[in-house]
Amino acid sequence: MKKSNSFYGYSLILAFFMLSLAARSQLSTDFYNTSCPKLLTIVRTQVQNAIKVETRMAASLLRLHFHDCFVNGCDGSVLLDGSDGEKFALPNLNSIRGFEVVDNIKSSVESACPGVVSCADLLAIAARDSVLLNGGPIWKVMLGRRDGLVANQTGANNGLPSPFDNLGGHTIGLARCAVFSNRLYNFSGPGIPDSTLDTNMLSDLQNLCPVNGDGNKTTFLDRNSTDLFDNHYFQNLLNQKGLLGSDQILFSSDEAKTTTQSLVQSYSANSSRFFADFVNSMIKMGNISPLTGSNGEIRKNCRVVNS
Ligand code: HEM
Ligand SMILES: *[C@@H]1O[C@H](CO)[C@@H](O)[C@H](O)[C@H]1NC(C)=O
Ligand SMILES: *[C@@H]1O[C@H](CO)[C@@H](O)[C@H](O)[C@H]1NC(C)=O
Ligand SMILES: *[C@@H]1O[C@H](CO)[C@@H](O)[C@H](O)[C@H]1NC(C)=O
Ligand SMILES: *[C@@H]1O[C@H](CO)[C@@H](O)[C@H](O)[C@H]1NC(C)=O
Ligand SMILES: *[C@@H]1O[C@H](CO)[C@@H](O)[C@H](O)[C@H]1NC(C)=O
Ligand SMILES: *[C@@H]1O[C@H](CO)[C@@H](O)[C@H](O)[C@H]1NC(C)=O
């Protein structure tokens, strides 16, 4: 009896210990309240300045957080320089951008609170602010991630992007001819343009992106609502005006009839619903395998691991 009491007592202590470990490893909205009280103000100001210089930067920063989280979790791995970096993976090459802005954010934050805030968290805050400053919803960002020690180029080649997307990040930003030209010419098939692309838009895009033209030329992902974070993207999908094949299939593919089509309709009619679901998705995405506790590190320079 005595033995089993102490056994239970021990188990209870162990359980509390594990619980406290679990609690400590969770992200929280006030993680830096005392260690870096001005953090959110500093990042907001920096993002604001960057968007003033170039509107597109909001989109680029949002995408950075997405591409960070989908490879080895939200650990700042996308920011690491080097030829084996994720920057050189096919979905990112000549495409992902905003690194100089992240450098500026990091150096302002380092001046205020040296060695305290992770690059992974800066990406999460910058993404939130980018959405907000372009007219989108606001949410409380979960914080407390630490930075990873390795980049994962293979992971970036295999894991980006996910085959389904109900976040709707393509309501802002640009895409290059190289990523949608096949819809205009079907190079691998009989040369018939994608029938789920509006015909006026098709001829516009063919002018912009001639065969053998400059694949780096860009156009807006969300035509006619280019810089506003809103549900117009979904209205475009209803009208066959999605830019990427991966956008338009959310409404037009056979598979969509039983999966995403009703969601597209609902988001296009109800922006509150889109915003609410988008916020939930962003928080979920931000929770993908964060490094916490003593895992990883707080990088001094977002481009390199500490020596
Ligand atoms: C199936 C999922 C997705 C696919 C296939 C996809 C694909 C793409 C492609 C091909 C581009 C253009 C790249 C280029 O022109 O070089 C792009 C841009 C972009 N994506 Fe996605 N994406 C997906 C999901 C997402 C998600 C979930 C978000 C946001 C959370 C997002 C945010 C963005 C933004 C903001 C841009 C524009 C970036 C800029 O202008 O710098 N994407 N995406
Ligand atoms: C942390 O700071 C935020 C924003 O200033 C505030 O809303 C929140 O109550 C603070 N939390 C704690 C635990 O101090
Ligand atoms: C890289 O990502 C892949 C998933 O695509 C994973 O299986 C692998 O363990 C990762 N490698 C490293 C070094 O993190
Ligand atoms: C290109 O043509 C092939 C063969 O007809 C077809 O299977 C494919 O879906 C087409 N691709 C586009 C983007 O229209
Ligand atoms: C885009 O520009 C880069 C250099 O900035 C070049 O290396 C690449 O080949 C170009 N891509 C396309 C599709 O034209
Ligand atoms: C939508 O955008 C396209 C391309 O930028 C432009 O040609 C067209 O006039 C716009 N339509 C409306 C209704 O604003
Ligand atoms: C729009 O979505 C919001 C949030 O999900 C919901 O509360 C509201 O009832 C919806 N409005 C309509 C007209 O369906």
Side-chain angles (χ1 to χ4, degrees), residues 72 150 152 155 158:
N72 283 21
V150 291
N152 190 344
N158 298 333

Side-chain angles (χ1 to χ4, degrees), residues 266 269-274 276-277:
S266 161
N270 186 344
S271 117
S272 313
R273 175 151 189 228
F274 166 47
D277 285 0

Side-chain angles (χ1 to χ4, degrees), residues 163-165 183 194-197 237-238 240 244-262 264-265:
F164 63 93
D165 165 25
R183 296 189 76 200
D194 189 333
S195 64
T196 67
L197 180 61
L237 297 186
L238 297 184
Q240 304 202 312
L244 306 181
S246 60
D247 291 327
Q248 194 58 50
I249 58 165
L250 297 177
F251 183 71
S252 301
S253 65
D254 282 339
E255 207 195 333
K257 287 176 190 147
T258 54
T259 54
T260 47
Q261 197 178 73
S262 60
V264 170
Q265 268 156 339

Side-chain angles (χ1 to χ4, degrees), residues 29-34 37 40 140:
T29 56
D30 51 20
F31 190 82
Y32 298 108
N33 262 27
T34 50
L40 295 180
K140 291 199 156 215

Side-chain angles (χ1 to χ4, degrees), residues 3-24:
K3 189 175 177 184
S4 84
N5 262 346
S6 69
F7 173 73
Y8 282 126
Y10 181 69
S11 305
L12 208 64
I13 290 164
L14 192 70
F16 272 113
F17 177 68
M18 310 240 307
L19 253 178
S20 78
L21 271 186
R24 221 180 40 185

Side-chain angles (χ1 to χ4, degrees), residues 58-70:
S60 305
L61 291 171
L62 172 60
R63 189 169 184 232
L64 265 181
H65 180 46
F66 164 48
H67 281 210
D68 183 31
C69 291
F70 268 59

Side-chain angles (χ1 to χ4, degrees), residues 9 17 39 58 90 93 103 115 127 130 134 138 155-156 162 185 191 219 269 293 300:
F17 177 68
L39 171 62
L90 211 60
L93 186 66
D103 291 339
S130 294
N134 276 15
I138 188 165
S162 110
Y185 305 108
T219 189
K300 292 194 184 79

